[in-house]
């Protein structure tokens, strides 16, 4: 392979890594390691499936279907695909993920250093930089991949290597076995929201691949796949290292332990007095790269959806202003109102990804895919209803009974009770439609 091609693959791979690796991705792994102790490797395995492999499958699902998420949505129904794409872009865009990046930067990146810093000023500054770097979509991948990501990787790699060479403590038996540790890591991987982001990022990455001259189906697929391999390798190293640092931190676990406190503790003890500054810089870079990618994706999507009636720059500016307003509310409030919404859209998106990647080249008809999506949607809505209405002190009522039935379904403990029923419906409709 030519040196230029290798350079392009590394640049695009770094950009994809940075798009996935937001602030939440830094905060989650250490506490997984702390809670699982000497079974931290099993937790890494579970986390890898939902936080690395599943998002990579999202990229492949779009690649196998075309160049954009709307091409993936056509596998079920054009209108439904557009509705689903709009819901995803809003959830990982101006309603949830974008303002959360700015709020996290303020709470974790700035407050530890400047306790009296104003959240409004922080939000304005954050989105001013985001707007400046995302206003030109053709340059966003190079900006992130060539400049921001190497610095972010260097800072994290230093902290991880120092923590491995000079561990703060030894791993301990937390009383959680290998299976339960795997489940813990598996469930926490959902919190990264990267599966939702992957189907949107895919359009940016594929466009960047084509812009560098890889326009034939074979070359486009090869470069996209190899770039994804670079990104997943970086994610695995960082996630695994951070989980290990949490497992060997020796931090006294409490019921009200905050993820940010554990991360600050590790960075301060591993890197010394400059740990807080280094962590703040990591958080700021991780949030900034993610925000740039999401703003770019939002602008591109709605510009294409309106067929140019709303320009890319107009949407980007509006997204930054709207997100800056929501960011002032803080991380906790953003997470509170986002949870139920994500609980519906996440399973639907993951179902579409899995079935297109596994069966997309074999099953050409839409009906089996529609059946699987509808089945998953029903389960997602039922769980939303249960979450909103169930009172744990009342063992009667429809919500309680529904919850008891769903608990009996295989894979409930992994938060995917919809997987087996949707597969059964998919197979039945495939066989029936085939006849």
């Amino acid at each position: 392979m030519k040196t230029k091609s290798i350079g392009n693959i590394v640049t695009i791979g770094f950009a994809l890594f940075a798009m996935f690796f937001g602030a939440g991705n830094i905060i989650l792994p250490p506490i997984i390691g702390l809670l699982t102790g000497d079974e931290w490797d099993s937790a890494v395995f579970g986390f890898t499936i939902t936080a690395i492999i599943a998002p990579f499958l999202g990229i492949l699902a779009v690649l196998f279907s075309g160049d954009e998420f709307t091409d993936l949505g056509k596998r079920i129904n054009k209108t439904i695909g557009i509705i689903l794409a709009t819901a995803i872009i809003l959830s990982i865009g101006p309603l949830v993920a974008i303002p959360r990046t700015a709020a996290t930067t303020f709470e974790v990146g700035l407050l530890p250093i400047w306790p009296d810093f104003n959240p409004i000023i922080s939000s304005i500054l954050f989105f001013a930089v985001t707007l400046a770097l995302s206003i030109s979509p053709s340059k966003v991948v190079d900006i992130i991949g060539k400049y921001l990501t190497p610095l972010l990787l260097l800072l994290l790699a230093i902290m991880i290597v120092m923590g491995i060479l000079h561990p703060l403590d030894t791993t301990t038996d937390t009383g959680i076995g290998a299976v339960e540790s795997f489940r813990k890591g598996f469930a926490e991987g959902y919190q990264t929201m990267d599966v939702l982001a992957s189907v949107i990022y895919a359009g940016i990455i594929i466009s960047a691949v084509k812009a560098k001259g890889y326009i034939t189906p074979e070359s486009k697929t090869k470069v996209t796949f190899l770039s994804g391999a670079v990104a997943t390798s970086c994610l695995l190293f960082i996630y695994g290292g951070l989980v290990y640092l949490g497992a060997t931190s020796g931090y006294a676990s409490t019921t009200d332990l905050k993820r940010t406190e554990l991360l600050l503790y590790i960075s301060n003890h591993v890197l010394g007095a400059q740990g807080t500054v280094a962590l703040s810089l990591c958080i700021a870079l991780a949030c900034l790269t993610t925000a740039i990618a999401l703003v770019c994706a939002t602008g591109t999507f709605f510009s294409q959806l309106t067929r140019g009636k709303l320009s890319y720059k107009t949407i980007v500016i509006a997204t930054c202003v709207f997100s800056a307003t929501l960011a002032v509310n803080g991380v906790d409030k953003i997470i509170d109102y986002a949870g139920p919404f994500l609980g519906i859209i996440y399973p639907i998106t993951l179902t579409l990804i899995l079935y297109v990647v596994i069966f997309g080249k074999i099953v050409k008809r839409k009906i089996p895919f529609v059946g699987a999506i509808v089945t998953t949607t029903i389960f997602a809505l039922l769980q939303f209803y249960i979450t909103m209405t169930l009172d744990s002190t009342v063992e009667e009522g429809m919500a309680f009974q529904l919850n008891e039935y769903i608990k009996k379904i295989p894979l409930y403990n992994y938060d995917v009770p919809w997987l087996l029923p949707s597969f059964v419906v998919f197979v039945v409709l495939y066989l029936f439609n085939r006849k």
Side-chain angles (χ1 to χ4, degrees), residues 62 65 67-75 77-78 81-82 85-86 199-200 301 304-305:
V62 175
S65 303
D67 294 336
E68 302 285 345
F69 176 75
T70 50
D71 296 322
L72 177 61
K74 291 176 184 177
R75 297 303 303 265
N77 177 275
K78 183 178 180 180
I82 292 175
T86 303
V199 293
I200 303 300
F301 175 79
Q304 292 177 349
L305 185 64

Side-chain angles (χ1 to χ4, degrees), residues 297-332:
T298 303
T300 302
F301 175 79
F302 284 110
S303 177
Q304 292 177 349
L305 185 64
T306 60
R307 297 182 180 179
K309 293 180 180 179
L310 292 176
S311 69
Y312 170 84
K313 291 184 178 180
T314 299
I315 298 169
V316 165
I317 294 171
T319 299
C320 287
V321 172
F322 184 80
S323 299
T325 304
L326 287 182
V328 179
N329 293 325
V331 174
D332 290 338

Side-chain angles (χ1 to χ4, degrees), residues 106-432:
F106 171 70
E107 295 180 15
V108 185
L110 296 180
L111 282 185
I113 301 176
W114 297 290
D116 297 325
F117 204 87
N118 189 293
I120 297 176
I121 296 177
S122 171
S123 184
I124 292 173
L125 291 175
F126 182 89
F127 283 105
V129 175
T130 301
L131 178 61
L133 295 177
S134 59
I135 200 69
S136 178
S138 62
K139 298 180 180 179
V140 66
V141 170
D142 284 340
I143 291 172
I144 294 176
K146 288 183 178 179
Y147 305 108
L148 298 181
T149 305
L151 180 57
L152 172 61
L153 271 173
L154 178 62
L155 290 171
L156 289 172
I158 290 173
M159 185 170 71
I160 290 172
V161 172
M162 291 291 291
I164 293 174
L165 295 177
H166 307 285
L168 301 178
D169 203 339
T170 58
T171 58
T172 58
D173 184 1
T174 60
I176 300 178
V179 175
E180 188 59 33
S181 295
F182 173 85
R183 290 177 180 174
K184 179 67 177 176
F186 189 92
E188 286 291 327
Y190 289 133
Q191 302 301 321
T192 64
M193 292 174 56
D194 284 344
V195 167
L196 295 181
S198 67
V199 293
I200 303 300
Y201 289 159
I204 300 175
I205 295 301
I206 294 172
S207 295
V209 170
K210 293 169 65 178
K212 292 186 180 298
Y214 306 99
I215 55 177
T216 64
E218 295 79 9
S219 63
K220 182 178 68 173
T221 300
K222 181 179 180 180
V223 172
T224 303
F225 186 87
L226 291 176
S227 299
V230 171
T232 54
S233 299
C234 293
L235 287 170
L236 181 59
F237 169 72
I238 298 299
Y239 287 152
L242 290 175
V243 171
Y244 176 78
L245 293 187
T248 57
S249 65
Y251 193 84
S253 179
T254 60
T255 55
D256 58 347
L257 173 65
K258 293 183 179 180
R259 291 174 170 84
T260 54
E261 292 177 355
L262 174 60
L263 191 59
L264 284 168
Y265 173 86
I266 292 173
S267 64
N268 289 337
H269 285 73
V270 171
L271 300 176
Q274 302 303 316
T276 300
V277 177
L279 178 63
S280 296
L281 187 56
C282 282
I283 292 291
L285 285 173
C287 287
L288 184 61
T289 53
T290 300
I292 292 169
L294 292 176
V295 169
C296 179
T298 303
T300 302
F301 175 79
F302 284 110
S303 177
Q304 292 177 349
L305 185 64
T306 60
R307 297 182 180 179
K309 293 180 180 179
L310 292 176
S311 69
Y312 170 84
K313 291 184 178 180
T314 299
I315 298 169
V316 165
I317 294 171
T319 299
C320 287
V321 172
F322 184 80
S323 299
T325 304
L326 287 182
V328 179
N329 293 325
V331 174
D332 290 338
K333 288 186 178 180
I334 294 172
I335 292 176
D336 286 343
Y337 74 70
F341 180 70
L342 294 176
I344 295 176
I345 195 172
Y346 205 103
I348 297 172
T349 307
L350 187 54
T351 298
L352 180 59
I353 290 171
L354 289 175
Y355 285 98
V356 167
V357 170
I358 297 173
F359 303 110
K361 293 184 178 181
I362 302 173
V363 181
K364 301 300 181 182
R365 297 182 181 273
K366 295 182 179 181
I367 291 179
F369 294 98
V370 173
I373 292 293
V374 170
T375 303
T376 300
T377 303
I378 293 172
F379 272 86
L381 292 174
L382 287 176
Q383 290 192 290
F384 172 79
Y385 168 74
I386 292 170
T387 302
M388 293 292 99
T389 61
L390 182 61
D391 184 346
S392 60
T393 62
V394 179
E395 296 186 0
E396 296 179 359
M398 183 179 295
F400 179 82
Q401 296 298 328
L402 284 173
N403 194 42
E404 291 301 306
Y405 284 127
I406 293 178
K407 282 183 178 180
K408 298 177 182 179
I409 298 176
L411 303 179
Y412 171 83
N413 291 331
Y414 297 96
D415 292 335
V416 288
W418 45 266
L419 185 57
L420 185 58
S422 68
F423 177 71
V424 172
V425 171
F426 182 90
V427 172
V428 170
L429 288 178
Y430 169 70
L431 294 175
F432 178 80

Side-chain angles (χ1 to χ4, degrees), residues 6-16 141-142 144-146 212:
I6 296 175
N8 289 333
I9 290 169
V10 171
T11 297
I12 297 171
F14 276 4
L16 183 58
V141 170
D142 284 340
I144 294 176
K146 288 183 178 179
K212 292 186 180 298

Side-chain angles (χ1 to χ4, degrees), residues 75-90:
R75 297 303 303 265
I76 45 175
N77 177 275
K78 183 178 180 180
T79 302
I80 295 176
I82 292 175
I83 293 173
L84 180 58
T86 303
I88 292 173
I89 202 69
L90 289 175

